[in-house]
Amino acid sequence: MEKLIITAAICGAEVTKENNPAVPYTVAEIAREAKSACDAGASIIHLHVREDDGTPTQSKERFQLCIDAIRRECGDAVIQPSTGGAVGMSDLERLQSTEVTPTPEFATLDCGTLNFGGDEIFVNSDNTIFNFARIMKERGIKPELEVFDKGMIDIAMKADRKGLLVRPLHFDFVLGVQMTATVRDLSFMAGSIPQGSTWTVAGIGRHAFEMAAAGIIMGGHVRVGFEDNLYLEKGVLAQSNGELVEKVVKLAKLLGREIASPAEARGILGL
Ligand code: KMH
Ligand code: ZN
C-alpha cells in the first residue's frame, strides 16, 4: 500500500477557544499548531486563518502572513489554503486565499451546498464550483475536491466532463456533517470515484479516529485536526493538533502503514 498522507486541519473557521483553548487565532498560534502537526507526522496543513480575536477571514494579507510563518516552522510541508472559508462569505472573498505568493500548489474546492448545522447553509452553486475549478486550473493549483456526500462527487464529475479538472483527481470525504461517518458510507464514496484517483477521509467529531482507522486500512489517506475534532478521546481535549496527528501515526504503525513525508505526499498526489 502507498504511504499514508496525514493532513492536519489545524484551525477551521467554526471552532473557538471556548471549545478548546488550544484553537489557534494569531499568526504565532497558527504557526505553533502547524509545527506541532508537522513534527508529529503531518505532511499537509489545511489552512483557515483568523483575526486575532478569532473572527474567520479570507484576507489575502492574513493568509500570506500565516503561510510565511508556517513555512518558517514546517520547512517543505504542503500548505493547502481553504477556499471554503466560513459560511456566508462571498466567492471573491473566499478566493483570496489562492492569491498569495508563491501561488499555492494545492487548495480546497467545495463541490456542493450543504446543511452545516442549525440554520447554517454552506452555499456552493454549480457556477461557483465551476468558476473556482476554472480559476484553479488557470493558476496551476491542484484542487482537493471536498465532498460531504455522494451527490458532490457527481457534481465534481460534471466539472471533470467540462474539462475544468486535471486527472488524477484527489477527493476529501468529509463524513459526519451531512452524510453519516460509517464504514459503509466511506466504502460507497471510495467506490464512486474514478479509477486512479486518490482520497482522504475526515471524520467529524467523535468519528475522527474510526474514520482514520478505516482510511488507513482501505488505502486512503487521513485528515484530522481541530477543524474536525477537538478531542483526543471521549472527554479529553487534545492539547495540540500534534496530539491528534500522533494518534493517527500510532494507528498507522499498528496497522502496518508507513507515513509519507511532504516530498512523498507530493509524489502520491502529483503536486
Ligand atoms: N468552513 C466551512 C464552511 C473548506 O475548507 O474548503 C468550509 C470548509 C471547507 O471548511
Ligand atoms: Zn476547511
Side-chain angles (χ1 to χ4, degrees):
M1 230 181 249
E2 261 169 352
K3 290 191 180 180
L4 179 73
I5 302 171
I6 303 175
T7 298
I10 58 171
C11 179
E14 291 80 22
V15 290
T16 66
K17 286 189 191 290
E18 282 72 50
N19 305 130
N20 181 332
V23 169
Y25 296 165
T26 67
V27 176
E29 288 169 350
I30 284 179
R32 177 201 73 210
E33 284 306 306
K35 178 171 167 48
S36 80
C38 294
D39 287 351
S43 49
I44 301 178
I45 300 296
H46 168 67
L47 188 63
H48 291 255
V49 303
R50 308 286 186 97
E51 302 293 357
D52 285 352
D53 66 0
T55 308
T57 175
Q58 288 292 100
S59 149
K60 173 182 160 179
E61 291 73 27
R62 191 69 169 185
F63 262 94
Q64 190 72 59
L65 284 174
C66 290
I67 288 171
D68 292 347
I70 293 171
R71 187 65 61 227
R72 284 193 292 274
E73 295 292 343
C74 298
D76 66 341
V78 176
I79 301 175
Q80 177 200 69
S82 167
T83 68
V87 167
M89 288 177 172
S90 71
D91 290 4
L92 282 179
E93 213 175 345
R94 285 166 53 181
L95 280 165
Q96 285 184 83
S97 62
T98 63
E99 290 160 9
V100 291
T101 309
T103 301
E105 54 196 319
F106 206 22
T108 58
L109 171 54
D110 293 277
C111 292
T113 294
L114 71 146
N115 282 3
F116 218 67
D119 289 328
E120 304 271 275
I121 300 174
F122 180 35
V123 177
N124 292 284
S125 68
D126 278 10
N127 284 347
T128 292
I129 298 162
F130 300 153
N131 190 37
F132 278 33
R134 182 183 51 74
I135 290 170
M136 288 191 203
K137 189 177 178 195
E138 281 168 7
R139 295 187 185 155
I141 303 169
K142 177 160 179 150
E144 176 176 86
L145 303 165
E146 304 296 311
V147 291
F148 294 74
D149 65 27
K150 160 68 165 60
M152 296 193 196
I153 296 178
D154 300 330
I155 295 173
M157 298 321 299
K158 273 198 222 169
D160 184 57
R161 284 194 294 278
K162 284 176 174 290
L164 298 171
L165 301 176
V166 179
R167 293 204 183 191
L169 308 179
H170 180 73
F171 292 84
D172 182 27
F173 305 140
V174 187
L175 299 186
V177 183
Q178 175 145 292
M179 187 166 178
T180 56
T182 62
V183 171
R184 184 197 68 163
D185 283 354
L186 176 60
S187 305
F188 178 50
M189 297 292 270
S192 301
I193 59 177
Q195 282 235 322
S197 305
T198 48
W199 59 269
T200 292
V201 62
I204 301 303
R206 66 196 163 86
H207 302 291
F209 294 108
E210 292 162 19
M211 289 296 101
I216 293 165
I217 294 167
M218 290 166 64
H221 302 282
V222 171
R223 180 176 113 171
V224 286
F226 288 158
E227 179 168 349
D228 302 335
N229 162 52
L230 298 160
Y231 290 87
L232 199 52
E233 56 188 78
K234 192 165 190 244
V236 181
L237 284 174
Q239 295 193 5
S240 68
N241 278 275
E243 285 191 348
L244 298 170
V245 173
E246 242 168 55
K247 188 162 170 177
V248 176
V249 170
K250 275 189 200 146
L251 281 173
K253 282 215 172 103
L254 282 171
L255 296 168
R257 191 118 179 244
E258 286 182 78
I259 307 299
S261 66
E264 289 165 337
R266 286 189 174 85
I268 293 165
L269 296 170
L271 294 176

